[in-house]
Amino acid sequence: MPGIDECLLEAMRLPGARGAALVDWTSGLALGAVGESPGGDQEAAAAEAAELARLAAEQHAFTADGGTEEEGADPPVEDLILSNRDSYHVLRFVRTSFDSSVFLHLWLARTEGNLALARIRLGEMAGRLVLG
Amino acid sequence: MTTVRTTTPAPPPRLPVRDKAAALDRGWGGVSPMLTRLAAERATGILVRERGTLHLADGQVVHAESPSAPGLDTLLTPHGGDPAPGALELCHLTALYDAAYFTLAPSSTPGRFRYGSAVGLDGPLALGAVRPVPVAALERETLRRRDLLHRIWPDPTTDEAPLTRPDRVGAPPCPARRRAVLARVDGVRTALDIARELGRPAFHTLVDVRRLAAAGVVSPRPPTPAEAPPPPPQPLLETEVVDPHITLLKRLRDALEAL
């Protein structure tokens, strides 16, 4: 029955993991963070990732067909993947049974990271975090 | 021939200003000097401010409550059964930062601190302990949140006023979460009312309302006649004076006006 930090520490065991955070995309607050922070500033990284997540979550074009047109617990987007020359960022939206707007942000070194594995594991962790 | 002195007097010395850069380096921006002092002395107890309370343990914040923010119970309301520890921690931290945002709002009265135990174990913490939040982090976050709201829409009126939709025609489409807020705008409810109904943090609802205000979809309701400030008292002349000369003058004025 993991709490936030246990969940983030588990994410850090993924190969190539450099940093992990649980971020609220409405406020931009990091509710938890472990490891390094992209850009070196945890609060700035959380606010910037939140802005990206919010844009993805709020655009109609990215919503699944027959998806969450009305308010519900399902986030409209499952995950976001961003790559650059040396790293991957995976943003996994967390589904909760109460109203929330949070996502897991995993930062992976590109050379060691396994994107497919990270996506699967993050999905599992997101489920365990809130459903026990 | 007169000469005009052109030398201007030396400008007065500049007033001292708070060094905000240095304050930020210290990790706080002067949100509450009293709270900063309590953190430094690792105090335990309850700080009561105008808009809410902060519970401190060893100088860190472990709980916050504000009449302006829905409590943990409201945030968890739609949840059936026992929430998982992660979900509970998430909600508790969210509620703490939410209540602290309003508690740390600028106030007109000084805060009071009651030394002693923070929240009891039979209190809200019985639901699940929250990781203590350092005061500096809470103050930084509070300032960041103020800035976030200001950048979205600089007018704070919608934060507390009853909200209304001035023009329902031609409203731009908005995402589902914001549509849920918009659907509850009825000229009576405030942002806080809507937050409670949706089981959302108050700050999050302020964000959505400011975005709606920026889009021109929502505005604060103008005061209704019943709530409008009472009209200024009638001049004495009209009501109480019965001096016959004045009565005559008034009749004369009325007659002239009637011409």
Short mmCIF file of all heavy atoms in Angstrom, two decimals, chain A residues 64-97:
data_model
loop_
_atom_site.label_atom_id
_atom_site.label_comp_id
_atom_site.label_asym_id
_atom_site.label_seq_id
_atom_site.Cartn_x
_atom_site.Cartn_y
_atom_site.Cartn_z
N ALA A 64 -9.93 11.03 -26.33
CA ALA A 64 -10.32 9.79 -26.98
C ALA A 64 -11.77 9.89 -27.46
O ALA A 64 -12.59 10.60 -26.86
CB ALA A 64 -10.17 8.63 -26.01
N ASP A 65 -12.08 9.14 -28.51
CA ASP A 65 -13.46 9.11 -29.00
C ASP A 65 -14.38 8.59 -27.91
O ASP A 65 -14.07 7.60 -27.25
CB ASP A 65 -13.57 8.20 -30.22
CG ASP A 65 -13.18 8.95 -31.49
OD1 ASP A 65 -13.16 10.19 -31.43
OD2 ASP A 65 -12.90 8.29 -32.50
N GLY A 66 -15.51 9.21 -27.77
CA GLY A 66 -16.47 8.78 -26.75
C GLY A 66 -15.89 8.88 -25.36
O GLY A 66 -16.34 8.24 -24.43
N GLY A 67 -14.86 9.68 -25.25
CA GLY A 67 -14.16 9.79 -23.97
C GLY A 67 -14.89 10.69 -22.99
O GLY A 67 -16.11 10.81 -23.05
N THR A 68 -14.12 11.31 -22.18
CA THR A 68 -14.70 12.05 -21.07
C THR A 68 -15.20 13.40 -21.53
O THR A 68 -14.58 14.42 -21.28
CB THR A 68 -13.65 12.25 -19.98
OG1 THR A 68 -12.49 12.83 -20.63
CG2 THR A 68 -13.28 10.94 -19.36
N GLU A 69 -16.32 13.38 -22.19
CA GLU A 69 -16.89 14.65 -22.59
C GLU A 69 -17.45 15.37 -21.36
O GLU A 69 -17.35 16.56 -21.23
CB GLU A 69 -18.00 14.42 -23.61
CG GLU A 69 -17.54 14.59 -25.04
CD GLU A 69 -16.83 15.91 -25.26
OE1 GLU A 69 -17.50 16.95 -25.22
OE2 GLU A 69 -15.60 15.92 -25.48
N GLU A 70 -18.01 14.59 -20.48
CA GLU A 70 -18.53 15.22 -19.26
C GLU A 70 -17.55 14.97 -18.12
O GLU A 70 -16.65 14.15 -18.20
CB GLU A 70 -19.92 14.66 -18.92
CG GLU A 70 -21.01 15.27 -19.77
CD GLU A 70 -20.92 16.79 -19.89
OE1 GLU A 70 -20.82 17.47 -18.85
OE2 GLU A 70 -20.93 17.30 -21.02
N GLU A 71 -17.76 15.70 -17.04
CA GLU A 71 -16.87 15.57 -15.90
C GLU A 71 -16.85 14.13 -15.42
O GLU A 71 -17.85 13.44 -15.39
CB GLU A 71 -17.37 16.47 -14.77
CG GLU A 71 -18.86 16.26 -14.51
CD GLU A 71 -19.38 17.27 -13.52
OE1 GLU A 71 -18.91 17.24 -12.38
OE2 GLU A 71 -20.26 18.05 -13.89
N GLY A 72 -15.69 13.67 -15.09
CA GLY A 72 -15.57 12.30 -14.61
C GLY A 72 -14.18 12.12 -14.06
O GLY A 72 -13.36 13.02 -14.07
N ALA A 73 -13.92 10.94 -13.56
CA ALA A 73 -12.64 10.69 -12.94
C ALA A 73 -11.57 10.39 -14.00
O ALA A 73 -10.39 10.50 -13.74
CB ALA A 73 -12.76 9.53 -11.98
N ASP A 74 -12.00 10.01 -15.19
CA ASP A 74 -11.02 9.65 -16.21
C ASP A 74 -10.31 10.87 -16.74
O ASP A 74 -10.95 11.79 -17.24
CB ASP A 74 -11.74 8.96 -17.38
CG ASP A 74 -11.87 7.47 -17.16
OD1 ASP A 74 -10.98 6.90 -16.52
OD2 ASP A 74 -12.86 6.90 -17.63
N PRO A 75 -8.98 10.87 -16.69
CA PRO A 75 -8.28 11.97 -17.36
C PRO A 75 -8.47 11.82 -18.87
O PRO A 75 -8.56 10.69 -19.37
CB PRO A 75 -6.82 11.78 -16.96
CG PRO A 75 -6.73 10.57 -16.12
CD PRO A 75 -8.06 9.91 -16.09
N PRO A 76 -8.56 12.92 -19.57
CA PRO A 76 -8.84 12.83 -21.00
C PRO A 76 -7.67 12.24 -21.79
O PRO A 76 -7.85 11.75 -22.89
CB PRO A 76 -9.10 14.28 -21.42
CG PRO A 76 -8.57 15.12 -20.32
CD PRO A 76 -8.55 14.30 -19.09
N VAL A 77 -6.47 12.30 -21.21
CA VAL A 77 -5.28 11.80 -21.89
C VAL A 77 -4.62 10.77 -20.98
O VAL A 77 -4.65 10.89 -19.76
CB VAL A 77 -4.30 12.97 -22.17
CG1 VAL A 77 -2.98 12.46 -22.70
CG2 VAL A 77 -4.93 13.96 -23.15
N GLU A 78 -4.03 9.72 -21.59
CA GLU A 78 -3.39 8.68 -20.80
C GLU A 78 -1.95 9.05 -20.45
O GLU A 78 -1.58 9.11 -19.28
CB GLU A 78 -3.41 7.38 -21.60
CG GLU A 78 -3.21 6.14 -20.78
CD GLU A 78 -3.51 4.92 -21.63
OE1 GLU A 78 -2.64 4.48 -22.40
OE2 GLU A 78 -4.64 4.42 -21.53
N ASP A 79 -1.16 9.27 -21.44
CA ASP A 79 0.20 9.74 -21.15
C ASP A 79 0.74 10.60 -22.27
O ASP A 79 0.17 10.69 -23.36
CB ASP A 79 1.15 8.58 -20.83
CG ASP A 79 1.23 7.53 -21.92
OD1 ASP A 79 0.85 7.83 -23.06
OD2 ASP A 79 1.69 6.42 -21.61
N LEU A 80 1.83 11.27 -21.96
CA LEU A 80 2.51 12.16 -22.90
C LEU A 80 3.97 11.75 -22.92
O LEU A 80 4.55 11.52 -21.86
CB LEU A 80 2.47 13.59 -22.36
CG LEU A 80 1.37 14.55 -22.73
CD1 LEU A 80 1.61 15.86 -21.97
CD2 LEU A 80 1.40 14.84 -24.21
N ILE A 81 4.56 11.67 -24.09
CA ILE A 81 5.97 11.32 -24.18
C ILE A 81 6.70 12.42 -24.93
O ILE A 81 6.24 12.85 -26.00
CB ILE A 81 6.16 9.97 -24.90
CG1 ILE A 81 5.50 8.87 -24.08
CG2 ILE A 81 7.64 9.67 -25.11
CD1 ILE A 81 5.30 7.59 -24.84
N LEU A 82 7.78 12.87 -24.33
CA LEU A 82 8.56 13.93 -24.96
C LEU A 82 10.01 13.46 -24.98
O LEU A 82 10.52 12.94 -23.98
CB LEU A 82 8.41 15.20 -24.13
CG LEU A 82 8.97 16.50 -24.71
CD1 LEU A 82 8.08 17.65 -24.27
CD2 LEU A 82 10.39 16.74 -24.25
N SER A 83 10.65 13.60 -26.11
CA SER A 83 12.05 13.20 -26.16
C SER A 83 12.91 14.37 -26.58
O SER A 83 12.46 15.28 -27.27
CB SER A 83 12.23 12.04 -27.14
OG SER A 83 11.96 12.49 -28.46
N ASN A 84 14.16 14.36 -26.11
CA ASN A 84 15.14 15.31 -26.62
C ASN A 84 16.45 14.56 -26.82
O ASN A 84 16.48 13.32 -26.73
CB ASN A 84 15.27 16.53 -25.70
CG ASN A 84 15.78 16.18 -24.32
OD1 ASN A 84 16.49 15.19 -24.16
ND2 ASN A 84 15.43 16.98 -23.34
N ARG A 85 17.53 15.27 -27.08
CA ARG A 85 18.77 14.62 -27.46
C ARG A 85 19.25 13.62 -26.41
O ARG A 85 19.77 12.56 -26.73
CB ARG A 85 19.85 15.67 -27.73
CG ARG A 85 20.96 15.20 -28.65
CD ARG A 85 21.85 16.35 -29.06
NE ARG A 85 22.37 17.09 -27.92
CZ ARG A 85 22.09 18.38 -27.67
NH1 ARG A 85 21.34 19.05 -28.49
NH2 ARG A 85 22.60 18.98 -26.61
N ASP A 86 19.07 13.94 -25.14
CA ASP A 86 19.66 13.06 -24.14
C ASP A 86 18.65 12.43 -23.17
O ASP A 86 19.05 11.69 -22.28
CB ASP A 86 20.76 13.78 -23.34
CG ASP A 86 20.22 14.95 -22.56
OD1 ASP A 86 18.98 15.10 -22.47
OD2 ASP A 86 21.02 15.73 -22.02
N SER A 87 17.37 12.73 -23.33
CA SER A 87 16.45 12.14 -22.35
C SER A 87 15.03 12.00 -22.88
O SER A 87 14.67 12.55 -23.93
CB SER A 87 16.43 12.99 -21.07
OG SER A 87 16.06 14.31 -21.36
N TYR A 88 14.27 11.21 -22.12
CA TYR A 88 12.83 11.09 -22.35
C TYR A 88 12.09 11.65 -21.14
O TYR A 88 12.56 11.54 -20.00
CB TYR A 88 12.40 9.62 -22.47
CG TYR A 88 12.95 8.87 -23.65
CD1 TYR A 88 13.76 7.76 -23.47
CD2 TYR A 88 12.63 9.24 -24.95
CE1 TYR A 88 14.25 7.04 -24.54
CE2 TYR A 88 13.12 8.54 -26.05
CZ TYR A 88 13.93 7.44 -25.83
OH TYR A 88 14.42 6.74 -26.90
N HIS A 89 10.94 12.22 -21.39
CA HIS A 89 10.02 12.59 -20.31
C HIS A 89 8.73 11.84 -20.56
O HIS A 89 8.17 11.92 -21.66
CB HIS A 89 9.73 14.08 -20.31
CG HIS A 89 10.91 14.93 -19.99
ND1 HIS A 89 11.16 15.39 -18.72
CD2 HIS A 89 11.93 15.38 -20.76
CE1 HIS A 89 12.27 16.11 -18.73
NE2 HIS A 89 12.77 16.11 -19.96
N VAL A 90 8.26 11.12 -19.55
CA VAL A 90 6.96 10.45 -19.67
C VAL A 90 6.04 11.05 -18.62
O VAL A 90 6.35 11.05 -17.42
CB VAL A 90 7.07 8.93 -19.46
CG1 VAL A 90 5.72 8.27 -19.73
CG2 VAL A 90 8.13 8.34 -20.38
N LEU A 91 4.93 11.60 -19.07
CA LEU A 91 3.94 12.17 -18.15
C LEU A 91 2.73 11.25 -18.17
O LEU A 91 2.06 11.10 -19.20
CB LEU A 91 3.53 13.58 -18.61
CG LEU A 91 4.42 14.76 -18.20
CD1 LEU A 91 5.86 14.56 -18.62
CD2 LEU A 91 3.90 16.05 -18.80
N ARG A 92 2.46 10.62 -17.03
CA ARG A 92 1.35 9.67 -16.94
C ARG A 92 0.23 10.28 -16.10
O ARG A 92 0.40 10.54 -14.90
CB ARG A 92 1.84 8.37 -16.30
CG ARG A 92 0.75 7.39 -15.97
CD ARG A 92 0.29 6.64 -17.21
NE ARG A 92 -1.02 6.02 -16.98
CZ ARG A 92 -1.50 5.05 -17.73
NH1 ARG A 92 -0.81 4.57 -18.74
NH2 ARG A 92 -2.69 4.55 -17.51
N PHE A 93 -0.92 10.47 -16.71
CA PHE A 93 -2.06 11.03 -15.97
C PHE A 93 -2.60 9.98 -15.00
O PHE A 93 -2.69 8.80 -15.35
CB PHE A 93 -3.14 11.49 -16.94
CG PHE A 93 -2.73 12.71 -17.73
CD1 PHE A 93 -1.89 12.59 -18.83
CD2 PHE A 93 -3.14 13.96 -17.34
CE1 PHE A 93 -1.49 13.71 -19.54
CE2 PHE A 93 -2.74 15.09 -18.05
CZ PHE A 93 -1.91 14.96 -19.15
N VAL A 94 -2.94 10.42 -13.80
CA VAL A 94 -3.39 9.51 -12.77
C VAL A 94 -4.90 9.60 -12.64
O VAL A 94 -5.46 10.68 -12.45
CB VAL A 94 -2.74 9.84 -11.40
CG1 VAL A 94 -3.24 8.89 -10.32
CG2 VAL A 94 -1.23 9.77 -11.51
N ARG A 95 -5.54 8.44 -12.74
CA ARG A 95 -6.99 8.39 -12.59
C ARG A 95 -7.32 8.21 -11.11
O ARG A 95 -6.78 7.31 -10.46
CB ARG A 95 -7.53 7.19 -13.39
CG ARG A 95 -9.01 7.09 -13.39
CD ARG A 95 -9.43 5.79 -14.06
NE ARG A 95 -10.87 5.70 -14.14
CZ ARG A 95 -11.63 5.38 -13.12
NH1 ARG A 95 -11.09 5.10 -11.95
NH2 ARG A 95 -12.95 5.33 -13.26
N THR A 96 -8.18 9.06 -10.58
CA THR A 96 -8.56 8.94 -9.17
C THR A 96 -10.07 8.82 -9.06
O THR A 96 -10.79 9.24 -9.95
CB THR A 96 -8.11 10.18 -8.36
OG1 THR A 96 -8.62 11.34 -9.00
CG2 THR A 96 -6.60 10.27 -8.29
N SER A 97 -10.51 8.26 -7.93
CA SER A 97 -11.95 8.10 -7.76
C SER A 97 -12.58 9.37 -7.20
O SER A 97 -13.78 9.47 -7.08
CB SER A 97 -12.23 6.94 -6.81
OG SER A 97 -11.53 7.15 -5.62
#
